[in-house]
mmCIF file of all heavy atoms in Angstrom:
data_model
loop_
_atom_site.group_PDB
_atom_site.id
_atom_site.type_symbol
_atom_site.label_atom_id
_atom_site.label_comp_id
_atom_site.label_asym_id
_atom_site.label_seq_id
_atom_site.Cartn_x
_atom_site.Cartn_y
_atom_site.Cartn_z
ATOM 1 N N ASP O 1012 51.570 123.763 -11.381
ATOM 2 C CA ASP O 1012 50.217 123.701 -11.938
ATOM 3 C C ASP O 1012 49.338 122.747 -11.135
ATOM 4 O O ASP O 1012 48.173 123.050 -10.836
ATOM 5 C CB ASP O 1012 50.268 123.221 -13.402
ATOM 6 C CG ASP O 1012 50.752 124.315 -14.343
ATOM 7 O OD1 ASP O 1012 50.590 125.501 -14.006
ATOM 8 O OD2 ASP O 1012 51.290 123.977 -15.415
ATOM 9 N N LYS O 1013 49.896 121.606 -10.780
ATOM 10 C CA LYS O 1013 49.139 120.590 -10.052
ATOM 11 C C LYS O 1013 48.722 121.087 -8.673
ATOM 12 O O LYS O 1013 47.563 120.934 -8.259
ATOM 13 C CB LYS O 1013 49.974 119.309 -9.932
ATOM 14 C CG LYS O 1013 49.243 118.156 -9.252
ATOM 15 C CD LYS O 1013 50.114 116.909 -9.206
ATOM 16 C CE LYS O 1013 49.380 115.762 -8.532
ATOM 17 N NZ LYS O 1013 50.221 114.530 -8.474
ATOM 18 N N ALA O 1014 49.672 121.705 -7.962
ATOM 19 C CA ALA O 1014 49.383 122.207 -6.613
ATOM 20 C C ALA O 1014 48.390 123.369 -6.651
ATOM 21 O O ALA O 1014 47.496 123.476 -5.807
ATOM 22 C CB ALA O 1014 50.670 122.636 -5.914
ATOM 23 N N ARG O 1015 48.547 124.243 -7.663
ATOM 24 C CA ARG O 1015 47.637 125.377 -7.781
ATOM 25 C C ARG O 1015 46.213 124.885 -8.065
ATOM 26 O O ARG O 1015 45.237 125.419 -7.529
ATOM 27 C CB ARG O 1015 48.097 126.309 -8.908
ATOM 28 C CG ARG O 1015 47.264 127.598 -8.986
ATOM 29 C CD ARG O 1015 47.616 128.480 -10.162
ATOM 30 N NE ARG O 1015 47.159 127.931 -11.427
ATOM 31 C CZ ARG O 1015 47.919 127.314 -12.308
ATOM 32 N NH1 ARG O 1015 49.217 127.161 -12.078
ATOM 33 N NH2 ARG O 1015 47.415 126.836 -13.436
ATOM 34 N N LYS O 1016 46.113 123.862 -8.895
ATOM 35 C CA LYS O 1016 44.802 123.299 -9.231
ATOM 36 C C LYS O 1016 44.089 122.808 -7.970
ATOM 37 O O LYS O 1016 42.891 123.055 -7.782
ATOM 38 C CB LYS O 1016 44.982 122.155 -10.225
ATOM 39 C CG LYS O 1016 43.690 121.485 -10.666
ATOM 40 C CD LYS O 1016 43.999 120.431 -11.724
ATOM 41 C CE LYS O 1016 42.739 119.749 -12.213
ATOM 42 N NZ LYS O 1016 43.005 118.785 -13.309
ATOM 43 N N VAL O 1017 44.830 122.142 -7.110
ATOM 44 C CA VAL O 1017 44.259 121.638 -5.856
ATOM 45 C C VAL O 1017 43.747 122.801 -5.008
ATOM 46 O O VAL O 1017 42.627 122.761 -4.475
ATOM 47 C CB VAL O 1017 45.296 120.817 -5.065
ATOM 48 C CG1 VAL O 1017 44.792 120.505 -3.663
ATOM 49 C CG2 VAL O 1017 45.634 119.528 -5.810
ATOM 50 N N GLU O 1018 44.557 123.848 -4.867
ATOM 51 C CA GLU O 1018 44.183 124.987 -4.029
ATOM 52 C C GLU O 1018 42.995 125.749 -4.621
ATOM 53 O O GLU O 1018 42.106 126.189 -3.892
ATOM 54 C CB GLU O 1018 45.377 125.930 -3.843
ATOM 55 C CG GLU O 1018 46.519 125.331 -3.042
ATOM 56 C CD GLU O 1018 46.074 124.837 -1.670
ATOM 57 O OE1 GLU O 1018 45.374 125.605 -0.970
ATOM 58 O OE2 GLU O 1018 46.391 123.693 -1.313
ATOM 59 N N MET O 1019 42.974 125.908 -5.931
ATOM 60 C CA MET O 1019 41.866 126.625 -6.562
ATOM 61 C C MET O 1019 40.550 125.881 -6.394
ATOM 62 O O MET O 1019 39.487 126.491 -6.222
ATOM 63 C CB MET O 1019 42.164 126.854 -8.051
ATOM 64 C CG MET O 1019 43.228 127.902 -8.321
ATOM 65 S SD MET O 1019 43.608 128.109 -10.099
ATOM 66 C CE MET O 1019 42.091 128.883 -10.696
ATOM 67 N N LYS O 1020 40.615 124.563 -6.422
ATOM 68 C CA LYS O 1020 39.385 123.787 -6.293
ATOM 69 C C LYS O 1020 38.879 123.719 -4.859
ATOM 70 O O LYS O 1020 37.773 123.244 -4.615
ATOM 71 C CB LYS O 1020 39.586 122.391 -6.883
ATOM 72 C CG LYS O 1020 39.702 122.434 -8.410
ATOM 73 C CD LYS O 1020 39.635 121.077 -9.057
ATOM 74 C CE LYS O 1020 39.592 121.212 -10.586
ATOM 75 N NZ LYS O 1020 39.461 119.916 -11.274
ATOM 76 N N LYS O 1021 39.668 124.237 -3.928
ATOM 77 C CA LYS O 1021 39.208 124.345 -2.541
ATOM 78 C C LYS O 1021 38.334 125.587 -2.336
ATOM 79 O O LYS O 1021 37.561 125.657 -1.386
ATOM 80 C CB LYS O 1021 40.398 124.421 -1.584
ATOM 81 C CG LYS O 1021 41.175 123.117 -1.438
ATOM 82 C CD LYS O 1021 42.345 123.317 -0.477
ATOM 83 C CE LYS O 1021 43.166 122.039 -0.338
ATOM 84 N NZ LYS O 1021 44.338 122.263 0.555
ATOM 85 N N VAL O 1022 38.480 126.577 -3.207
ATOM 86 C CA VAL O 1022 37.713 127.821 -3.052
ATOM 87 C C VAL O 1022 36.695 128.040 -4.168
ATOM 88 O O VAL O 1022 35.827 128.892 -4.045
ATOM 89 C CB VAL O 1022 38.653 129.053 -2.963
ATOM 90 C CG1 VAL O 1022 39.512 128.977 -1.716
ATOM 91 C CG2 VAL O 1022 39.525 129.174 -4.203
ATOM 92 N N ASN O 1023 36.812 127.271 -5.240
ATOM 93 C CA ASN O 1023 35.877 127.368 -6.362
ATOM 94 C C ASN O 1023 35.025 126.099 -6.425
ATOM 95 O O ASN O 1023 35.472 125.065 -6.920
ATOM 96 C CB ASN O 1023 36.642 127.541 -7.684
ATOM 97 C CG ASN O 1023 37.360 128.868 -7.758
ATOM 98 O OD1 ASN O 1023 36.780 129.908 -7.501
ATOM 99 N ND2 ASN O 1023 38.646 128.834 -8.106
ATOM 100 N N PRO O 1024 33.805 126.151 -5.911
ATOM 101 C CA PRO O 1024 32.975 124.942 -5.880
ATOM 102 C C PRO O 1024 32.610 124.450 -7.277
ATOM 103 O O PRO O 1024 32.521 125.232 -8.226
ATOM 104 C CB PRO O 1024 31.727 125.395 -5.112
ATOM 105 C CG PRO O 1024 31.663 126.872 -5.339
ATOM 106 C CD PRO O 1024 33.095 127.326 -5.381
ATOM 107 N N LYS O 1025 32.399 123.150 -7.354
ATOM 108 C CA LYS O 1025 31.924 122.575 -8.611
ATOM 109 C C LYS O 1025 30.395 122.568 -8.649
ATOM 110 O O LYS O 1025 29.796 122.733 -9.706
ATOM 111 C CB LYS O 1025 32.459 121.148 -8.772
ATOM 112 C CG LYS O 1025 32.034 120.507 -10.088
ATOM 113 C CD LYS O 1025 32.762 119.196 -10.354
ATOM 114 C CE LYS O 1025 32.368 118.616 -11.706
ATOM 115 N NZ LYS O 1025 33.108 117.387 -12.037
ATOM 116 N N TYR O 1026 29.803 122.389 -7.469
ATOM 117 C CA TYR O 1026 28.350 122.296 -7.404
ATOM 118 C C TYR O 1026 27.771 123.342 -6.456
ATOM 119 O O TYR O 1026 28.186 123.434 -5.298
ATOM 120 C CB TYR O 1026 27.926 120.900 -6.942
ATOM 121 C CG TYR O 1026 28.441 119.792 -7.817
ATOM 122 C CD1 TYR O 1026 29.523 119.004 -7.406
ATOM 123 C CD2 TYR O 1026 27.864 119.529 -9.055
ATOM 124 C CE1 TYR O 1026 30.012 117.981 -8.214
ATOM 125 C CE2 TYR O 1026 28.350 118.510 -9.869
ATOM 126 C CZ TYR O 1026 29.423 117.736 -9.443
ATOM 127 O OH TYR O 1026 29.906 116.734 -10.249
ATOM 128 N N VAL O 1027 26.847 124.131 -6.934
ATOM 129 C CA VAL O 1027 26.072 125.045 -6.099
ATOM 130 C C VAL O 1027 24.598 124.803 -6.391
ATOM 131 O O VAL O 1027 24.251 124.149 -7.379
ATOM 132 C CB VAL O 1027 26.438 126.524 -6.373
ATOM 133 C CG1 VAL O 1027 27.886 126.812 -6.004
ATOM 134 C CG2 VAL O 1027 26.161 126.902 -7.831
ATOM 135 N N LEU O 1028 23.740 125.340 -5.540
ATOM 136 C CA LEU O 1028 22.298 125.128 -5.722
ATOM 137 C C LEU O 1028 21.769 126.097 -6.774
ATOM 138 O O LEU O 1028 21.178 127.129 -6.464
ATOM 139 C CB LEU O 1028 21.557 125.320 -4.393
ATOM 140 C CG LEU O 1028 20.046 125.039 -4.421
ATOM 141 C CD1 LEU O 1028 19.755 123.604 -4.845
ATOM 142 C CD2 LEU O 1028 19.426 125.344 -3.068
ATOM 143 N N ARG O 1029 21.978 125.749 -8.016
ATOM 144 C CA ARG O 1029 21.494 126.592 -9.108
ATOM 145 C C ARG O 1029 19.968 126.695 -9.037
ATOM 146 O O ARG O 1029 19.293 125.793 -8.525
ATOM 147 C CB ARG O 1029 21.925 126.017 -10.451
ATOM 148 C CG ARG O 1029 23.443 126.057 -10.674
ATOM 149 C CD ARG O 1029 23.824 125.321 -11.950
ATOM 150 N NE ARG O 1029 25.264 125.380 -12.189
ATOM 151 C CZ ARG O 1029 25.867 126.351 -12.855
ATOM 152 N NH1 ARG O 1029 25.151 127.360 -13.325
ATOM 153 N NH2 ARG O 1029 27.171 126.325 -13.042
ATOM 154 N N ASN O 1030 19.461 127.780 -9.580
ATOM 155 C CA ASN O 1030 18.034 128.047 -9.470
ATOM 156 C C ASN O 1030 17.181 126.943 -10.115
ATOM 157 O O ASN O 1030 16.151 126.549 -9.577
ATOM 158 C CB ASN O 1030 17.727 129.410 -10.109
ATOM 159 C CG ASN O 1030 18.620 130.496 -9.537
ATOM 160 O OD1 ASN O 1030 18.738 130.630 -8.332
ATOM 161 N ND2 ASN O 1030 19.266 131.265 -10.401
ATOM 162 N N TYR O 1031 17.633 126.432 -11.248
ATOM 163 C CA TYR O 1031 16.841 125.390 -11.919
ATOM 164 C C TYR O 1031 16.855 124.090 -11.125
ATOM 165 O O TYR O 1031 15.886 123.321 -11.166
ATOM 166 C CB TYR O 1031 17.350 125.160 -13.344
ATOM 167 C CG TYR O 1031 18.542 124.236 -13.462
ATOM 168 C CD1 TYR O 1031 18.361 122.859 -13.618
ATOM 169 C CD2 TYR O 1031 19.849 124.717 -13.413
ATOM 170 C CE1 TYR O 1031 19.443 122.004 -13.742
ATOM 171 C CE2 TYR O 1031 20.928 123.873 -13.525
ATOM 172 C CZ TYR O 1031 20.728 122.519 -13.689
ATOM 173 O OH TYR O 1031 21.813 121.672 -13.788
ATOM 174 N N MET O 1032 17.951 123.836 -10.384
ATOM 175 C CA MET O 1032 18.035 122.614 -9.586
ATOM 176 C C MET O 1032 16.987 122.634 -8.471
ATOM 177 O O MET O 1032 16.268 121.650 -8.246
ATOM 178 C CB MET O 1032 19.444 122.477 -9.001
ATOM 179 C CG MET O 1032 20.511 122.233 -10.066
ATOM 180 S SD MET O 1032 22.200 122.605 -9.510
ATOM 181 C CE MET O 1032 22.460 121.354 -8.262
ATOM 182 N N ALA O 1033 16.908 123.772 -7.775
ATOM 183 C CA ALA O 1033 15.901 123.899 -6.720
ATOM 184 C C ALA O 1033 14.495 123.746 -7.301
ATOM 185 O O ALA O 1033 13.628 123.095 -6.696
ATOM 186 C CB ALA O 1033 16.052 125.256 -6.028
ATOM 187 N N GLN O 1034 14.271 124.315 -8.493
ATOM 188 C CA GLN O 1034 12.946 124.236 -9.102
ATOM 189 C C GLN O 1034 12.590 122.806 -9.489
ATOM 190 O O GLN O 1034 11.426 122.382 -9.355
ATOM 191 C CB GLN O 1034 12.862 125.147 -10.333
ATOM 192 C CG GLN O 1034 11.447 125.354 -10.844
ATOM 193 C CD GLN O 1034 10.534 125.963 -9.799
ATOM 194 O OE1 GLN O 1034 10.894 126.943 -9.151
ATOM 195 N NE2 GLN O 1034 9.357 125.379 -9.615
ATOM 196 N N LEU O 1035 13.568 122.033 -9.961
ATOM 197 C CA LEU O 1035 13.312 120.625 -10.279
ATOM 198 C C LEU O 1035 12.882 119.855 -9.038
ATOM 199 O O LEU O 1035 11.964 119.028 -9.081
ATOM 200 C CB LEU O 1035 14.569 119.986 -10.891
ATOM 201 C CG LEU O 1035 14.911 120.384 -12.328
ATOM 202 C CD1 LEU O 1035 16.268 119.800 -12.730
ATOM 203 C CD2 LEU O 1035 13.826 119.916 -13.302
ATOM 204 N N ALA O 1036 13.557 120.139 -7.917
ATOM 205 C CA ALA O 1036 13.209 119.468 -6.656
ATOM 206 C C ALA O 1036 11.799 119.862 -6.215
ATOM 207 O O ALA O 1036 11.034 119.017 -5.722
ATOM 208 C CB ALA O 1036 14.231 119.824 -5.580
ATOM 209 N N ILE O 1037 11.463 121.144 -6.395
ATOM 210 C CA ILE O 1037 10.138 121.640 -6.003
ATOM 211 C C ILE O 1037 9.052 121.008 -6.867
ATOM 212 O O ILE O 1037 8.030 120.525 -6.358
ATOM 213 C CB ILE O 1037 10.095 123.179 -6.114
ATOM 214 C CG1 ILE O 1037 10.974 123.815 -5.042
ATOM 215 C CG2 ILE O 1037 8.664 123.690 -6.012
ATOM 216 C CD1 ILE O 1037 11.289 125.274 -5.285
#
């Protein structure tokens, strides 16, 4: 479980540029 968690978090980002985030910056 521990090793799989590490590998999954390498391909599944925690942070992306969500649309509302870009709008807040704008």
Side-chain angles (χ1 to χ4, degrees):
D1012 285 335
K1013 183 178 180 180
R1015 186 185 72 258
K1016 180 176 181 176
V1017 170
E1018 293 304 312
M1019 288 178 70
K1020 290 191 173 183
K1021 289 179 182 178
V1022 296
N1023 293 310
K1025 182 170 183 177
Y1026 302 103
V1027 296
L1028 184 59
R1029 293 173 179 272
N1030 307 310
Y1031 83 89
M1032 293 161 67
Q1034 192 59 48
L1035 287 173
I1037 291 165

